[in-house]
């Protein structure tokens, strides 16, 4: 046991809904290194309280431990170097050791010792413990987010678990925290495992509702009586948490960190009717109806690929076709020049390429987009035999293959290799741009859409442009493309 009964209750009050995991940690860890396991594996999804609970246990028990964030290490060599320095620093602080007393011919107390491999790590650690006389007390080495280390950690895990067998160091207990599935090294090694499952909806509400100090109502909106004001704040916050979790559960899931960020992001807009005096604090249902759009729009998204000013200018509207038999969702954008400029240059080229792929017949691609001299020499007369009664651009956009759109994009997009726009380098299309990320952004904005709900990576999936001609024409003029030169009239 590492915690007393009073310390267990203190940890439970600070870390909610993790009583089972706390009992397991308390039963496995000890202040005596002879009673500690050779290692401990803690795994579970992200934002499930793994690191928070373990750190709370160590701080409550006043046990010596060192914490290494493995996602900040590029190689195992850097990880071992940071682990050695952390152990030295934490040991000196725990025992109030003067670093000058550790100086010796082997430089065991030197913080610049380079640990090239696990053997050098063991040797430097053993020398330090011999000089500092701290080999009799347990020291926990926590490797947080070990699964995010780029190097293969199989040998590292195996060596650290067998630390007491292959080295004189006996008091170090490694603890591995991962968020992915268990690695083969954990399965083949006989060390205890503690799983942290995802929070249920009730547990998420309990945790979030306990954070009533996260967002506060202005004092001018509350009762002058402190007791009544506290009751009003608690009730309003619980109702807000309940609405937030139920409305955005498909986006946030049980990620407490993401829910907290979303709650803070929407708070000011949500209480704006109360601040302006339109509603009282007790009229929560009316306040929710007034702000219902907050929970259905992109304002709740914490990590946006584009700025919020452009997102707010994008609105979806239903535009019926001329015969009234079909309707299609058309995205309308504010007429202001600044809002359109929020789109990246690469996305503007993709919109133009998608429009050409939708409204140009595939058999005319060689005529308009081929740069080969042979193709130009063998052009046929592709003029229409009959005049069309309806402009195709007034009808719903036909679907196109993604590969065809990318080929058109390659033909119309300027680049340094083609020699186009050499006097305007800012209009050059970078060769290292992530086309997939740009297409995903345009899909979220409903500027291009998929015609089926199947896998977007499937070659049979087809796409269509979802932007109006006026918008595409305006974008093409900005980037210097004459769409009339490529469109089949």
């Amino acid at each position: 046991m590492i915690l007393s009964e009073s310390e267990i209750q203190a940890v439970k009050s600070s870390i909610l809904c993790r009583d089972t995991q706390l009992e397991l940690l308390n039963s496995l860890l000890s202040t005596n290194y002879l009673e500690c396991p050779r290692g401990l594996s803690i795994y579970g999804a992200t934002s499930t309280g793994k690191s928070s609970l373990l750190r709370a246990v160590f701080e409550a028990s006043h046990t010596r431990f060192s914490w290494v964030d493995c996602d900040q290490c590029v190689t195992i060599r850097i990880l071992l170097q940071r682990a050695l320095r952390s152990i030295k620093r934490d040991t000196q602080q725990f025992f109030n050791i003067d670093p000058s007393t550790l100086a010796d011919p082997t430089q065991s107390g030197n913080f610049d010792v380079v640990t090239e491999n696990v053997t050098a790590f063991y040797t430097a650690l053993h020398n330090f413990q011999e000089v500092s006389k701290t080999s009799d007390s347990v020291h926990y080495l926590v490797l947080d987010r070990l699964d995010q280390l780029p190097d293969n950690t199989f040998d590292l895990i195996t060596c650290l678990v067998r630390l007491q067998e292959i080295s004189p160091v006996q008091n170090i207990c490694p603890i591995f925290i991962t968020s992915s599935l268990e690695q083969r090294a954990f399965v083949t090694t006989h060390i205890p495992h503690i799983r942290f499952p995802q929070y249920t909806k009730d547990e998420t509400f309990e945790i979030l509702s306990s954070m009533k100090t996260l967002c506060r109502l202005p004092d001018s909106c509350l009762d002058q009586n402190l007791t009544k004001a506290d009751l009003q704040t608690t009730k309003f916050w619980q109702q807000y948490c309940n609405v937030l979790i139920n409305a955005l559960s498909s986006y946030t899931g049980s990620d407490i960190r993401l829910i907290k960020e979303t709650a803070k992001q929407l708070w000011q807009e949500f209480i704006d009717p109360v601040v302006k005096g339109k509603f009282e604090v007790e009229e929560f249902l009316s306040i929710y109806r007034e702000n219902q759009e907050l929970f259905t729009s992109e304002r709740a998204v914490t990590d946006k690929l584009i700025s919020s000013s452009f997102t707010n200018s994008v609105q979806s509207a239903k535009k019926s076709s001329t015969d009234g038999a079909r309707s299609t969702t058309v995205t309308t954008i504010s007429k202001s020049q600044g809002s359109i400029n929020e789109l990246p240059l690469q996305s503007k080229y993709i919109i133009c390429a998608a429009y050409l792929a939708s409204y140009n017949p595939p058999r005319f691609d060689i005529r308009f987009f081929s740069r080969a001299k042979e193709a130009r020499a063998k052009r046929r007369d592709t003029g229409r035999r009959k005049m069309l009664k309806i402009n195709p651009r007034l009808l719903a956009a036909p679907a196109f293959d993604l590969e065809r759109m990318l080929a058109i994009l390659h033909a119309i997009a300027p680049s340094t290799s083609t020699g186009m726009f050499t006097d305007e380098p800012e209009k050059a299309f970078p060769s290292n741009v992530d086309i997939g990320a740009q297409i995903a952004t345009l899909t979220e904005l409903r500027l291009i859409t998929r015609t089926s709900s199947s896998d977007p990576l499937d070659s049979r999936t087809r796409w269509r442009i979802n932007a109006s001609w006026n918008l595409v024409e305006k974008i093409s003029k900005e980037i210097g493309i004459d769409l009339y030169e490529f469109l089949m009239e």
Side-chain angles (χ1 to χ4, degrees):
M1 298 288 183
I2 194 174
L3 296 175
S4 62
E5 190 63 30
S6 60
E7 292 172 341
I8 291 178
Q9 297 302 324
V11 175
K12 286 183 178 180
S13 62
S14 60
I15 308 295
L16 302 178
C17 305
R18 282 294 174 250
D19 296 350
T20 303
Q21 288 72 23
L22 176 59
E23 297 291 342
L24 289 173
L25 284 174
N26 188 40
S27 62
L28 291 172
L29 303 181
S30 175
T31 55
N32 186 355
Y33 72 92
L34 297 176
E35 300 175 356
C36 293
R38 294 186 299 174
L40 178 62
S41 171
I42 299 177
Y43 67 99
T46 57
S47 189
T48 51
K50 303 183 296 295
S51 302
S52 301
L53 180 61
L54 184 61
R55 192 180 290 273
V57 168
F58 286 145
E59 292 177 353
S61 61
H62 305 287
T63 306
R64 185 163 52 117
F65 71 98
S66 297
W67 202 282
V68 180
D69 295 323
C70 300
D71 57 337
Q72 300 179 4
C73 303
V74 181
T75 61
I76 293 180
R77 174 184 174 182
I78 297 178
L79 187 149
L80 293 174
Q81 181 73 24
R82 291 191 178 184
L84 179 62
R85 292 186 178 183
S86 298
I87 292 175
K88 290 181 177 181
R89 181 184 63 251
D90 297 329
T91 300
Q92 292 174 4
Q93 294 177 355
F94 188 83
F95 292 103
N96 295 323
I97 300 176
D98 185 3
S100 61
T101 61
L102 301 178
D104 65 328
T106 61
Q107 297 184 353
S108 301
N110 187 6
F111 281 77
D112 296 328
V113 173
V114 178
T115 55
E116 296 285 349
N117 47 42
V118 180
T119 303
F121 172 76
Y122 289 160
T123 304
L125 185 59
H126 175 64
N127 292 336
F128 172 77
Q129 290 186 348
E130 288 293 322
V131 175
S132 61
K133 304 291 191 297
T134 58
S135 59
D136 295 334
S137 61
V138 65
H139 192 130
Y140 292 97
L141 176 60
V142 182
L143 302 181
D144 196 6
R145 297 185 290 275
L146 182 62
D147 52 331
Q148 298 185 22
L149 187 70
D151 281 0
N152 185 11
T153 58
F154 179 82
D155 294 336
L156 174 66
I157 295 172
T158 304
C159 292
L160 290 179
V161 170
R162 298 180 57 194
L163 179 65
Q164 300 177 5
E165 301 177 10
I166 61 180
S167 74
V169 181
Q170 302 293 313
N171 64 327
I172 300 295
C173 178
I175 299 179
F176 312 99
I177 302 179
T178 58
S179 57
S180 61
L181 295 176
E182 294 184 77
Q183 302 184 23
R184 183 165 55 95
F186 294 142
V187 178
T188 57
T189 306
H190 300 290
I191 61 175
H193 296 65
I194 299 179
R195 177 177 175 268
F196 279 66
Q198 292 185 345
Y199 294 110
T200 63
K201 184 175 289 187
D202 294 337
E203 291 174 342
T204 304
F205 173 76
E206 181 182 353
I207 295 173
L208 190 62
S209 60
S210 65
M211 305 176 185
K212 59 182 181 180
T213 58
L214 185 66
C215 304
R216 292 191 61 85
L217 287 165
D219 295 336
S220 58
C221 303
L222 301 173
D223 195 285
Q224 295 182 355
N225 190 315
L226 295 179
T227 304
K228 292 183 179 180
D230 187 62
L231 292 175
Q232 287 178 335
T233 302
T234 302
K235 184 177 180 181
F236 189 89
W237 174 250
Q238 290 179 350
Q239 291 174 321
Y240 176 73
C241 295
N242 189 24
V243 169
L244 189 73
I245 293 172
N246 287 309
L248 301 178
S249 59
S250 60
Y251 167 62
T252 61
S254 61
D255 193 329
I256 301 297
R257 194 177 311 163
L258 181 58
I259 296 176
K260 288 170 55 179
E261 294 177 0
T262 306
K264 292 189 293 184
Q265 181 169 318
L266 299 179
W267 177 256
Q268 292 299 329
E269 291 188 64
F270 187 80
I271 66 173
D272 188 59
V274 182
V275 176
K276 292 181 178 180
K278 189 175 181 179
F279 300 106
E280 297 294 333
V281 178
E282 292 80 4
E283 300 177 277
F284 185 84
L285 184 58
S286 301
I287 300 171
Y288 168 70
R289 289 174 179 172
E290 183 77 10
N291 297 284
Q292 193 169 3
E293 185 186 357
L294 284 175
F295 303 97
T296 58
S297 64
E298 292 185 354
R299 299 182 207 177
V301 180
T302 56
D303 297 326
K304 295 182 175 63
L305 295 176
I306 61 174
S307 63
S308 58
S309 60
F310 177 76
T311 304
N312 295 334
S313 67
V314 179
Q315 300 175 348
S316 296
K318 289 291 184 177
K319 180 180 179 182
S320 301
S321 60
T322 54
D323 57 358
R326 302 179 60 186
S327 63
T328 180
T329 304
V330 180
T331 304
T332 60
I333 294 188
S334 173
K335 295 182 180 180
S336 61
Q337 186 74 13
S339 62
I340 294 181
N341 287 333
E342 296 291 343
L343 263 181
L345 177 65
Q346 298 82 8
S347 295
K348 295 179 181 180
Y349 281 109
I350 294 175
I351 291 176
C352 294
Y355 193 89
L356 294 174
S358 285
Y359 286 101
N360 264 3
R363 66 178 182 273
F364 297 142
D365 287 351
I366 294 180
R367 172 181 176 179
F368 289 111
F369 308 113
S370 177
R371 297 172 181 171
K373 295 181 179 179
E374 293 79 8
R376 295 175 183 169
K378 297 179 181 180
R379 285 180 184 170
R380 297 185 300 171
D381 182 16
T382 55
R384 291 195 177 96
R385 300 300 180 185
K386 297 181 181 180
M387 292 294 295
L388 296 178
K389 296 181 180 180
I390 301 177
N391 191 331
R393 295 199 294 271
L394 298 178
L395 302 177
F400 58 84
D401 294 328
L402 181 62
E403 292 82 356
R404 179 167 171 258
M405 189 271 288
L406 295 177
I408 295 176
L409 174 66
H410 179 73
I412 67 174
S415 62
T416 54
S417 60
T418 60
M420 300 178 64
F421 297 117
T422 54
D423 55 338
E424 297 181 81
E426 69 276 1
K427 290 187 177 181
F429 196 91
S431 59
N432 60 345
V433 65
D434 191 349
I435 299 295
Q438 301 289 338
I439 294 177
T441 304
L442 296 176
T443 305
E444 290 294 328
L445 295 175
R446 304 291 295 174
L447 291 172
I448 59 175
T449 58
R450 284 189 287 123
T451 59
S452 62
S453 58
S454 59
D455 186 359
L457 300 179
D458 193 345
S459 60
R460 294 170 296 179
T461 303
R462 293 170 64 82
W463 301 71
R464 65 159 52 97
I465 188 68
N466 197 37
S468 64
W469 162 250
N470 294 332
L471 170 64
V472 178
E473 184 183 25
K474 189 172 184 179
I475 291 177
S476 65
K477 289 180 179 179
E478 282 190 2
I479 60 180
I481 292 180
D482 186 6
L483 287 184
Y484 291 101
E485 183 182 348
F486 299 103
L487 281 172
M488 188 71 187
E489 295 293 343

